[in-house]
Amino acid sequence: MSQPTQKLRLGALIALVVGSMIGGGIFSLPQNMAARADAGAILIGWGITAIGMLTLAFVFQTLANRKPELDSGVYAYAKAGFGDYMGFSSAWGYWISAWLGNVGYFVLLFSTLGYFFPVFGQGNTPIAIGCASVLLWAVHFLVMRGIKEAALINQLTTVAKIIPLIMFVVIAAVAFKADVFTRDIWGRSNPNFGGVMDQVRNMMLVTVFVFIGIEGASVYSARAEKRSDVGRATVIGFIGVLALLVLVNVLSLGIMSQPELATLQNPSLAAVLEHIVGPWGALLISVGLAISLLGALLSWALLCAEILFATARDNTMPAFLKKENANHVPVNALWLTNVMIQIFLLITLFSAGTYTSLIYLASSMILVPYLWSAAYAVLLSGRGETYEHASAERTKDLLIGGIALCYAVWLLYAGGVKYLLLSALLYAPGVILFAKAKHEQGEPLFTTLEKGIFTCVIAGAGLAAYGLYSGVLSL
């Protein structure tokens, strides 16, 4: 994808952020949230998420402006601040999160079709996985033709998915019933929910998943026409998507009660609109979602390949991932990505994994890259690096970075031990590529500190493997 003459303007960067974040998650938000919390806890959770994710958006904006030489975003910050292995781990975790999200999108797409054709079930039946596999390789060869064709399709799908969402917000606002929203606002009639803060904690990974892509402009920062546009696109895109997510979630709670929403098949937004206007509402949302998912699959296929390609260029990943075809597409990175998606589609078939379990795992994998980006912002402002004549800005950025770091740590806690261990199981094999990259550079594998970190990863992976074998853990 090395086309240095093609620069992205502010509008394109905003579209990239919005397009990356609005995939399939928003269309399943009513059920995903209602299964874990009631209205009061959901409002508190969105408040925490708004503050936490906004500070993360500001972190990416600040780092883009203060460290313009770090062109590939997320992983580059971890590498610059905390060494090669943490940089590699951030890139590896971000890449896994991205393609796991695509696995979830395939499952959701065929779950949507299952709404009309029962043979597809919840997107994890044999015929659904077979059709998803055919679509996966169709997208693969489309992307192999070059970025221009893929970008045109992505622009069309971005428009197509926004229209039904806006229509839903308008219709639901008119049909909203305050008595339905407040009927059991704290979820006290459901003993499985626990207290209010338990509900808030349980919904956190869902909010992370719907915001994955907030750093999309940072990943493509080397292609930006103006460096300052990267941060602006991140913040503008975040605010717009946040408003849409909250409206969709909150308005749904005023249309159907929490118990009703919690039992819906995904995409649950289709059933909510059908409840208001009849069958055509479900059809509208389902068509919009199908188009949205096709666009998301395309844009995330490009993003996954870009992550590996960018990290290979600065020797964080092995050199074979730098290979491009005649259309400037990083072919080896794309093949590796889509082979992993295919493997996990098959795992989903045999483990009966659902869309929700996949998005939880994808969300847990993104937490480490987010945490190290926030930590690097704190490190930068704490040292005063690049703040020699800007003490007021340094104090402000230190505060923002500190809040973002606390939020990232809170997310690790909220995700729970299960997903922390499963994440370790996925992080551990990455050492093979890390070792290959180090060998190519003639450098030692680990520093003393990195040996300790890797030992912890291996221990967590071992516990996860035992848990899966014994049946204590499951996808």
Side-chain angles (χ1 to χ4, degrees):
M1 295 184 185
S2 55
Q3 295 171 294
T5 58
Q6 294 184 357
K7 293 296 183 179
L8 299 173
R9 296 184 178 180
L10 177 61
L13 289 169
I14 292 172
L16 183 64
V17 173
V18 172
S20 296
M21 282 192 280
I22 298 182
I26 191 170
F27 291 89
S28 299
L29 200 58
Q31 186 278 334
N32 290 167
M33 288 298 201
R36 288 157 186 83
D38 215 318
I42 286 173
L43 289 175
I44 294 172
W46 278 120
I48 294 172
T49 299
I51 295 170
M53 280 292 176
L54 182 60
T55 56
L56 268 176
F58 283 138
V59 159
F60 289 121
Q61 181 183 44
T62 298
L63 293 177
N65 293 334
R66 294 202 168 272
K67 284 291 181 178
E69 69 276 14
L70 301 179
D71 277 335
S72 300
V74 182
Y75 92 91
Y77 302 138
K79 182 176 181 178
F82 307 100
D84 291 347
Y85 182 60
M86 292 318 302
F88 172 87
S89 295
S90 286
W92 180 254
Y94 186 66
W95 173 68
I96 290 177
S97 176
W99 61 254
L100 269 177
N102 263 13
V103 177
Y105 286 158
F106 278 114
V107 172
L108 181 58
L109 175 60
F110 286 92
S111 177
T112 304
L113 294 176
Y115 196 84
F116 302 99
F117 307 102
V119 69
F120 293 118
Q122 295 189 47
N124 54 4
T125 63
I127 192 168
I129 297 301
C131 292
S133 299
V134 172
L135 180 59
L136 166 66
W137 295 108
V139 170
H140 173 86
F141 289 108
L142 175 63
V143 173
M144 290 276 279
R145 293 185 58 192
I147 193 170
K148 289 182 180 179
E149 291 83 353
L152 175 60
I153 295 173
N154 189 49
Q155 288 175 3
L156 295 174
T157 57
T158 298
V159 174
K161 63 187 169 187
I162 293 295
I163 292 173
L165 289 173
I166 292 175
M167 288 181 65
F168 173 85
V169 168
V170 173
I171 294 170
V174 174
F176 182 85
K177 296 177 181 177
D179 61 317
V180 174
F181 183 80
T182 59
R183 186 172 299 164
D184 184 24
I185 194 167
W186 301 114
R188 291 194 172 93
S189 63
N190 192 335
N192 295 326
F193 276 176
V196 173
M197 290 314 295
D198 290 323
Q199 295 178 53
V200 171
R201 184 173 68 85
N202 291 337
M203 62 174 273
M204 279 294 108
L205 283 185
V206 177
T207 65
V208 173
F209 183 76
V210 295
F211 279 118
I212 290 177
I214 191 174
E215 69 299 314
S218 296
V219 174
Y220 285 97
S221 56
R223 305 176 188 276
E225 187 175 73
K226 295 180 181 178
R227 184 72 190 192
S228 59
D229 285 346
V230 174
R232 292 170 62 198
T234 300
V235 174
I236 293 169
F238 164 78
I239 292 172
V241 171
L242 173 65
L244 198 54
L245 287 166
V246 173
L247 284 170
V248 164
N249 193 187
V250 171
L251 290 172
S252 296
L253 288 161
I255 304 299
M256 300 174 70
S257 67
Q258 175 272 322
E260 291 174 320
L261 290 171
T263 58
L264 295 178
Q265 178 178 330
N266 284 315
S268 51
L269 199 65
V272 176
L273 191 55
E274 182 178 28
H275 184 81
I276 303 172
V277 301
W280 73 264
L283 182 62
L284 173 69
I285 294 297
S286 298
V287 170
L289 173 59
I291 296 172
S292 172
L293 288 174
L294 290 173
L297 289 169
L298 198 58
S299 61
W300 279 98
L302 289 166
L303 186 61
C304 289
E306 181 77 9
I307 294 163
L308 293 180
F309 177 66
T311 49
R313 281 187 307 177
D314 75 352
N315 304 316
T316 300
M317 290 280 185
F320 78 93
L321 294 170
K322 289 190 287 187
K323 182 180 178 181
E324 296 179 286
N325 67 8
N327 296 317
H328 302 287
V329 175
V331 287
N332 288 341
L334 192 63
W335 275 105
L336 180 59
T337 296
N338 288 334
V339 165
M340 291 306 301
I341 291 174
Q342 181 66 77
I343 290 170
F344 262 71
L345 281 172
L346 295 174
I347 290 173
T348 300
L349 172 62
F350 292 111
S351 70
T354 63
Y355 169 74
T356 304
S357 59
L358 287 166
I359 69 169
Y360 263 55
L361 189 54
S363 299
S364 66
M365 291 301 297
I366 202 74
L367 298 184
V368 168
Y370 284 174
L371 185 145
W372 289 118
S373 295
Y376 183 57
V378 171
L379 184 69
L380 206 65
S381 53
R383 287 176 176 172
E385 187 178 341
T386 74
Y387 291 92
E388 288 76 12
H389 305 290
S391 58
E393 287 185 29
R394 177 186 175 186
T395 302
K396 179 196 72 174
D397 290 346
L398 182 60
L399 177 61
I400 290 173
I403 295 171
L405 182 58
C406 290
Y407 175 64
V409 172
W410 153 256
L411 288 176
L412 285 173
Y413 162 73
V417 174
K418 171 185 173 179
Y419 288 101
L420 198 61
L421 293 178
L422 289 174
S423 295
L425 188 60
L426 291 175
Y427 271 106
V431 74
I432 298 171
L433 291 182
F434 183 66
K436 181 172 176 57
K438 283 292 187 179
H439 178 73
E440 290 173 353
Q441 299 305 307
E443 297 176 354
L445 181 58
F446 290 127
T447 65
T448 302
L449 178 60
E450 288 171 346
K451 287 179 183 176
I453 294 171
F454 183 65
T455 300
C456 293
V457 172
I458 289 295
L463 288 171
Y466 175 76
L468 289 171
Y469 174 76
S470 63
V472 176
L473 291 180
S474 64
L475 178 64

